[in-house]
Amino acid sequence: MTEASAGHSSPSNGAGASLDLDSVSFGPFSLRSRLLEKDGAPVKLGSRATDILRLLVSRAGEVVPKNEIISYAWSGLAVEEISLRVHVAELRKVLGDGKGGARYITNIPSRGYCFVAPVQRGERDVAPAPVPRSPERAAPSPSLPHRLDRMIGRDDVLPELSARLLSDRFVTLRGPGGIGKTTVATALAHDMWQTFEGHVHFLEFGPLKDAALVASTVAATLGLVVHHDDPSGSIINFLRERRLLLILDSCEHVIDEVARLAENIYREAPGIAILATSRESLLVEGEQIFELVPLPGPPQGVRLSAGEVLDYPAARLFLDRAAAAGHRGDITDDDAEVLAEICGKLDGIALAIELAAVRVGVYGLREIAALLDSRLKLEWRGRRTAPPRQQTLGATLDWSYGLIGESERIVFQHLAVFAGPFTLKGAIAVAAEEGAPGEGVVDALEQLVAKSLVSAQPDGASRRYRLLDATRAYARHKLADGGEADAIARRHALYVQRTLEAGMAEQGGGDQVFSLQERASLLADARAALEWSYANDDGVALRVPLAGSAARLFVELNLLNEARIWSGRALAMLDDANRGGRWELELQSTLGHAFMFTERNSAQAEAALRRGLEIAEALGDHANAFRLLSRLNMFYRRTGDYRHLVPTALHAERIARLIGDTAGIAGSKALVGVSYHLAGDQVEAQAHLDEGVRDDAALRGTQPGHFAYSRTPQIPLARVLWLRGFPDRALDCVRPLVGAAAPRDVVMHCIALCWSSSVFGWVGDWAAVETMTERLATHASVHGLAPYQAVATGFRAQTMIARGEAAGGVDLLRSALPRLHADRYELYVSAFAADLSQGLAALGRLTEGLQVLRETIGRVEQAGGAFDMPELLRRRGDLEARAGDLDAAEASLAASLALAEQQGALSWRLRTEMSLAALRRQQGIQDPFDGLTATYARFAEGFETADLKAARLMLNQASA
């Protein structure tokens, strides 16, 4: 319940009670006994109105029941409530209530009245200035819906709703369709933009037809990767430590899913405020109901002046919308009664008022009143067995529909197929008759906007249009009755497909951010078109091209689970015309990418990517071939199948040179460099990555549509530089990442965090490793990227073992390694296995440690070797020496030394020389430090990093 319907007032003062009002002031007014003054000048006020004012001021901030006010002002008399309304209207007019932002008396429907202005008791030396308007606010994000320039009749709702939201955290704005819930919610979003420091997210569920997509829609709005059926856990993890306002608009048709998610957010994320708008309650824990009541209208049967009638919001809204539609006539006292009658018949429903008001210029007030009697039947019985929209606005829309011309009716029906906002181009494509010019649609759309059947809002230099939910449902019903539903749905699906296809062709040039926003605005319509085409025989021919053109959009918006589902469905029904063509190419590429992140690194992912590459090469589609080779390269990196890395990367480089794009060539250099690095050729890796860095400006300028997007060479170059013997330069590459904000590409950010953590670990900066690991764990948890969560666990264990907490580190690795194996995510397994062996040895379990290393080395050799094989061999040699098998230890260390030199990995060589020097000293060999001395001398930097400090200490001890 709202305060208005459930608050508690103070005990009644009783009829004729004496009020303690020697002197009070509010705004520019002073009230002494029964004398009202404004800025020191007396104000004429009737005795009844004065009594009402005295009572309300004495109880300022409280809701005073109507019967109590009547008992006080008309003591001993039987008076109708209408008399109270008339005198309150007089009082508001005298006070200038609502002018210049000033608010004094607010009506609480079904309860009473409340004096809301601040009251100061006692004399004052200087009359205060009038209540100021709200200060100018910083411009809210364009992601919020457009706010009406004037919102009439809800001025007292916004402050109360804001206060309730801040105190209760979870409020449902409830009311019938058309009453203005979305309008109020939009205004609240703009008003509270600064309160929540810009963290306001507005989700419109009206276009959403599948309730199962509620959570993924919320996740996508928050910028999370959606790659499984239920991302609710990721949403909760993301919101748990944040403070923001989440507005869930038009929830009634997906109410069960919204209710469950909203309740979980309320329970688990204490910093989140939730405002839901719905025609029914969510009925979950924490929900507080704020009933949005009809706009107050003038009393019936009482003769009021024009000014008095316009004190009521319903009348003001009617005239405001009539004027906006072109009506320029003034309201006279003779018109006031008719206007009051109209407002009474419209029951204070904002949409009904607007639909009637736009016709005033055509018919006049008295004719509108008559039409309402004969053509408009509004029912508010609220039967659950009837569709809610028909309970409230069906008759209103019947009447409005009856007032528009036949051509406007046709366009109105056709536009109902849009699931979200649409452009003028979209309206023409869907609503124009085949072969007919678009001018007729333009004219009809203009009339529909003027008649409030279609709303328009600015969108940069152009405008977007939409039908309100109730209006769309009504128009769809008319469309179905006319037998055109499938034909128009097919036309809509074709428009969506062609628009998305054109957006794909434009990728790689122009304003890609704007282009992505344009494509993203089609998400609701793409979903609707896909659902229709796969459910209706008329859509058979569109199924494959529609899924193919929507596939890239799903990937761009991180809706990977939807990308996988629709790509799989389309591929299952490929015919000969599409097999081996551009749509199979797009679908296979998308399916492989989505499988990689939603179904682990499965064989299905590799098969889809390889099939896509085969088609791209057959078609001569170089950009897609590069993209597919990049994805295959990532697949082999993740699975640890390093033998395929360099061939796929060199193939991509050849294609980039054929394309001749500077950023693409830079991206290919990064790809080749990473591949050589992981395969164990650090000299070639550095050469290619250095070239990539030289063209880094071009690479950083790429947008999501570019075939070489997100190939940044600095982070892998840091690893190569450390291995090559340049620790300081390596740190220069990764330090900027420590405080950097997460980019849009969440997967690439995880990779950057992992690789920079490894560099910090190699130089011995475990505090930095700990920091990066926490960021990785949080980021992966928020986006539901389970493999990266396991990697974060591995880095945490590595840090513990390095700090001497071997038991805890071993336990963590025992949990992380099986998870990585299960996901076929082998990239970090060898390093973590080496840490596990070191931890086991520290616990005195040498045999286990050696067994772990031998198994790991065997797997790496089978996969074609790797960059860290010298380190694995060194670790094995160290444990063999500790176990007393000095010959085996010497053989392992010699193999490590030779491989490190072959790879150009001076830092691995330094570590092995230290291990070898210790072994030779253990063997009693003279001059055991010759190799270490020579290797140490090859370094020109990094002398304050862990390995070089350890080597210097060993050499100094030898000299002593």
Side-chain angles (χ1 to χ4, degrees):
M1 288 181 284
T2 65
E3 249 179 295
S5 61
H8 299 285
S9 60
S10 300
S12 172
N13 287 333
S18 177
L19 304 180
D20 181 18
L21 284 176
D22 290 336
S23 178
V24 296
S25 58
F26 44 89
F29 297 95
S30 294
L31 182 61
R32 296 179 179 86
S33 184
R34 300 185 61 80
L35 176 63
L36 180 66
E37 295 179 338
K38 180 178 182 181
D39 294 328
V43 175
K44 184 179 179 181
L45 190 65
S47 61
R48 300 290 188 198
T50 300
D51 286 338
I52 294 169
L53 177 62
R54 283 167 54 80
L55 178 59
L56 292 177
V57 169
S58 73
R59 306 266 291 280
E62 296 180 21
V63 178
V64 183
K66 295 175 183 178
N67 60 354
E68 188 174 331
I69 301 173
I70 291 172
S71 296
Y72 178 77
W74 288 272
S75 178
L77 300 177
V79 178
E80 296 289 339
E81 184 180 317
I82 186 63
S83 298
L84 173 61
R85 293 180 185 173
V86 171
H87 283 82
V88 170
E90 176 194 354
L91 183 55
R92 281 174 164 160
K93 184 175 181 181
V94 167
L95 295 175
D97 201 343
K99 297 179 180 179
R103 297 297 298 166
Y104 296 103
I105 299 172
T106 184
N107 175 35
I108 311 300
S110 303
R111 291 285 316 288
Y113 294 90
C114 178
F115 195 90
V116 295
V119 173
Q120 176 183 344
R121 297 187 178 274
E123 297 286 348
R124 62 181 179 186
D125 297 327
V126 181
V131 177
R133 293 179 182 271
S134 299
E136 292 293 322
R137 296 177 178 271
S141 165
S143 64
L144 294 183
H146 178 66
R147 180 179 188 168
L148 290 179
D149 292 334
R150 296 182 61 195
M151 184 175 67
I152 296 174
R154 301 301 188 190
D155 293 336
D156 54 344
V157 170
L158 288 177
E160 185 181 359
L161 183 57
S162 300
R164 289 283 301 279
L165 196 57
L166 291 173
S167 63
D168 298 329
R169 285 186 46 232
F170 183 6
V171 177
T172 294
L173 187 62
R174 188 178 66 186
I179 202 166
K181 299 184 295 297
T182 299
T183 299
V184 171
T186 300
L188 185 85
H190 286 261
D191 281 357
M192 303 195 78
W193 179 260
Q194 287 186 332
T195 303
F196 285 88
E197 299 177 343
H199 301 301
V200 178
H201 295 275
F202 195 107
L203 291 97
E204 182 186 10
F205 287 119
L208 196 64
K209 301 306 177 189
D210 185 355
L213 297 176
V214 164
S216 63
T217 300
V218 174
T221 300
L222 295 173
L224 310 183
V225 175
V226 179
H227 56 85
H228 47 72
D229 289 332
D230 185 11
S232 300
S234 296
I235 294 171
I236 300 302
N237 287 335
F238 177 81
L239 296 176
R240 187 169 279 120
E241 301 300 327
R242 284 171 166 77
R243 181 176 185 266
L244 57 83
L245 171 59
L246 201 58
I247 298 180
L248 312 175
D249 187 47
S250 300
C251 300
E252 51 274 353
H253 63 301
V254 289
I255 197 160
D256 290 338
E257 297 298 324
V258 171
R260 278 192 288 271
L261 181 59
E263 182 179 57
N264 288 334
I265 293 173
Y266 173 79
R267 285 175 174 172
E268 302 295 334
I272 307 304
I274 304 169
L275 176 68
T277 73
S278 177
R279 295 173 191 173
E280 61 179 299
S281 304
L282 272 61
L283 300 177
V284 291
E285 178 189 342
E287 180 192 36
Q288 301 293 316
I289 302 300
F290 192 108
E291 195 78 38
L292 191 61
V293 297
L295 292 171
Q300 303 292 299
V302 178
R303 185 167 182 80
L304 301 176
S305 68
E308 289 170 333
V309 166
L310 291 179
D311 281 336
Y312 292 86
R316 291 204 306 274
L317 176 63
F318 186 96
L319 286 186
D320 182 81
R321 297 299 184 257
H327 178 63
R328 294 292 178 262
D330 293 327
I331 298 297
T332 66
D333 288 346
D334 290 335
D335 295 325
E337 184 176 356
V338 180
L339 179 56
E341 179 188 351
I342 290 172
C343 291
K345 291 178 178 179
L346 295 174
D347 282 345
I349 302 302
L351 181 57
I353 291 169
E354 293 180 12
L355 290 172
V358 296
R359 307 308 299 175
V360 172
V362 177
Y363 296 101
L365 280 176
R366 296 185 185 279
E367 289 75 10
I368 288 290
L371 284 170
L372 289 173
D373 281 338
S374 60
R375 303 287 298 277
L376 190 61
K377 308 293 183 183
L378 296 175
E379 297 178 354
W380 298 106
R381 292 174 295 183
R383 293 178 291 107
R384 283 190 176 273
T385 55
R389 293 182 177 93
Q390 292 179 8
Q391 292 182 35
T392 59
L393 294 175
T396 305
L397 292 165
D398 271 336
W399 167 79
S400 181
Y401 186 76
L403 294 179
I404 62 177
E406 184 61 27
S407 62
E408 293 165 0
R409 291 182 184 183
I410 293 171
V411 171
F412 177 57
Q413 293 174 21
H414 291 182
L415 293 179
V417 76
F418 283 102
F422 54 90
T423 61
L424 179 60
K425 180 180 177 182
I428 294 172
V430 168
E433 294 299 331
E434 212 165 314
E439 287 81 357
V441 174
V442 175
D443 293 340
L445 182 59
E446 182 179 346
Q447 291 302 309
L448 292 170
V449 171
K451 295 173 175 65
S452 295
L453 283 169
V454 175
S455 64
Q457 63 183 52
D459 182 31
S462 60
R463 300 182 78 80
R464 284 191 178 272
Y465 306 88
R466 68 183 292 271
L467 276 70
L468 299 176
D469 290 346
T471 311
R472 183 186 298 112
Y474 177 88
R476 279 182 177 274
H477 180 70
K478 291 290 185 183
L479 184 64
D481 285 348
E484 284 194 286
D486 282 339
I488 300 305
R490 188 182 190 285
R491 197 183 295 177
H492 169 260
L494 186 61
Y495 161 73
V496 171
Q497 189 273 316
R498 287 175 174 172
T499 305
L500 288 173
E501 182 180 358
M504 291 166 57
E506 294 167 2
Q507 287 185 327
D511 187 345
Q512 287 298 305
V513 174
F514 176 76
S515 179
L516 176 58
Q517 290 173 347
E518 286 289 290
R519 293 194 299 280
S521 69
L522 282 170
L523 177 61
D525 284 292
R527 285 168 165 168
L530 283 165
E531 290 287 356
W532 174 83
S533 65
Y534 280 79
N536 292 271
D537 291 340
D538 289 346
V540 170
L542 281 172
R543 290 173 183 172
V544 170
L546 184 59
S549 57
R552 195 174 299 184
L553 174 65
F554 288 132
V555 172
E556 288 172 344
L557 298 179
N558 290 320
L559 297 167
L560 300 185
N561 197 55
E562 286 182 73
R564 175 178 58 81
I565 290 171
W566 287 113
S567 296
R569 290 185 68 177
L571 286 168
M573 55 179 55
L574 278 178
D575 55 19
D576 292 338
N578 287 306
R579 191 166 287 108
R582 57 176 305 207
W583 294 127
E584 186 186 359
L585 164 60
E586 193 66 37
L587 293 165
Q588 295 285 10
S589 175
T590 299
L591 186 67
H593 180 78
F595 261 131
M596 202 182 334
F597 295 101
T598 63
E599 295 290 328
R600 301 173 174 172
N601 298 296
S602 64
Q604 290 170 294
E606 182 182 11
L609 293 174
R610 285 212 163 274
R611 172 60 180 161
L613 178 60
E614 177 186 332
I615 298 170
E617 292 183 326
L619 295 175
D621 186 342
H622 297 318
N624 267 316
F626 185 98
R627 188 177 288 114
L628 281 154
L629 285 163
S630 298
R631 290 177 177 175
L632 271 169
N633 190 273
M634 176 176 283
F635 177 83
Y636 294 130
R637 292 202 305 267
R638 291 166 65 88
T639 57
D641 201 353
Y642 296 152
R643 74 187 72 197
H644 296 302
L645 291 182
V646 173
T648 57
L650 291 174
H651 191 172
E653 183 183 30
R654 288 192 295 272
I655 289 175
R657 293 195 180 281
L658 283 174
I659 295 172
D661 179 85
T662 302
I665 294 172
S668 72
K669 289 295 183 184
L671 197 65
V672 173
V674 169
S675 300
Y676 274 123
H677 159 58
L678 292 174
D681 189 338
Q682 307 311 324
V683 177
E684 284 290 338
Q686 184 179 354
H688 284 80
L689 289 170
D690 280 340
E691 286 189 53
V693 168
R694 280 198 292 272
D695 291 326
D696 186 48
L699 194 57
R700 286 185 179 274
T702 59
Q703 295 295 333
H706 195 280
F707 66 89
Y709 174 64
S710 287
R711 304 295 170 199
T712 52
Q714 285 81 0
I715 301 303
L717 179 60
R719 286 166 52 108
V720 172
L721 287 171
W722 182 85
L723 289 167
R724 295 279 291 132
F726 304 108
D728 291 341
R729 288 174 58 189
L731 287 172
D732 288 341
C733 290
V734 295
R735 281 196 182 108
L737 191 65
V738 174
R744 181 182 179 276
D745 193 325
V746 296
V747 173
M748 292 303 296
H749 186 56
C750 283
I751 294 172
L753 289 171
C754 292
W755 284 30
S756 59
S757 293
S758 65
V759 172
F760 284 122
W762 289 339
V763 300
D765 188 348
W766 296 108
V769 174
E770 198 166 37
T771 298
M772 304 304 278
T773 299
E774 288 306 314
R775 289 184 61 189
L776 174 62
T778 301
H779 194 68
S781 176
V782 162
H783 294 289
L785 300 174
Y788 290 111
Q789 290 177 270
V791 173
T793 301
F795 279 120
R796 191 176 296 116
Q798 184 183 68
T799 303
M800 294 175 70
I801 291 170
R803 290 174 171 171
E805 303 171 25
V810 166
D811 288 343
L812 284 180
L813 286 172
R814 289 292 195 194
S815 69
L817 286 170
R819 287 154 57 194
L820 291 171
H821 285 309
D823 287 334
R824 293 189 67 201
Y825 197 25
E826 301 292 330
L827 179 58
Y828 303 96
V829 165
S830 58
F832 293 151
D835 295 322
L836 176 60
S837 69
Q838 182 179 332
L840 290 168
L843 296 173
R845 296 153 63 180
L846 276 176
T847 303
E848 285 183 67
L850 274 167
Q851 183 61 30
V852 167
L853 277 173
R854 287 167 181 154
E855 290 175 357
T856 302
I857 289 170
R859 280 197 303 271
V860 173
E861 287 176 337
Q862 189 176 3
F867 78 100
D868 56 355
M869 181 64 89
E871 176 68 356
L872 295 173
L873 292 170
R874 183 190 73 82
R875 298 272 186 113
R876 187 178 69 183
D878 280 349
L879 294 193
E880 287 168 339
R882 289 181 62 176
D885 191 346
L886 303 188
D887 291 340
E890 186 166 8
S892 292
L893 294 176
S896 171
L897 205 62
L899 189 55
E901 190 64 25
Q902 177 186 324
Q903 290 187 0
L906 184 60
S907 290
W908 285 155
R909 181 182 180 102
L910 180 70
R911 288 188 174 185
T912 303
E913 288 285 12
M914 285 192 283
S915 294
L916 194 57
L919 175 65
R920 286 172 176 167
R921 187 166 53 183
Q922 185 179 351
Q923 292 171 324
I925 296 174
Q926 288 187 342
D927 300 324
F929 302 103
D930 288 348
L932 177 58
T933 302
T935 300
Y936 183 83
R938 292 167 63 180
F939 282 85
E941 62 174 70
F943 296 107
E944 295 307 311
T945 58
D947 287 349
L948 285 161
K949 287 167 71 174
R952 185 168 64 247
L953 178 62
M954 182 178 282
L955 291 173
N956 288 340
Q957 290 173 344
S959 298

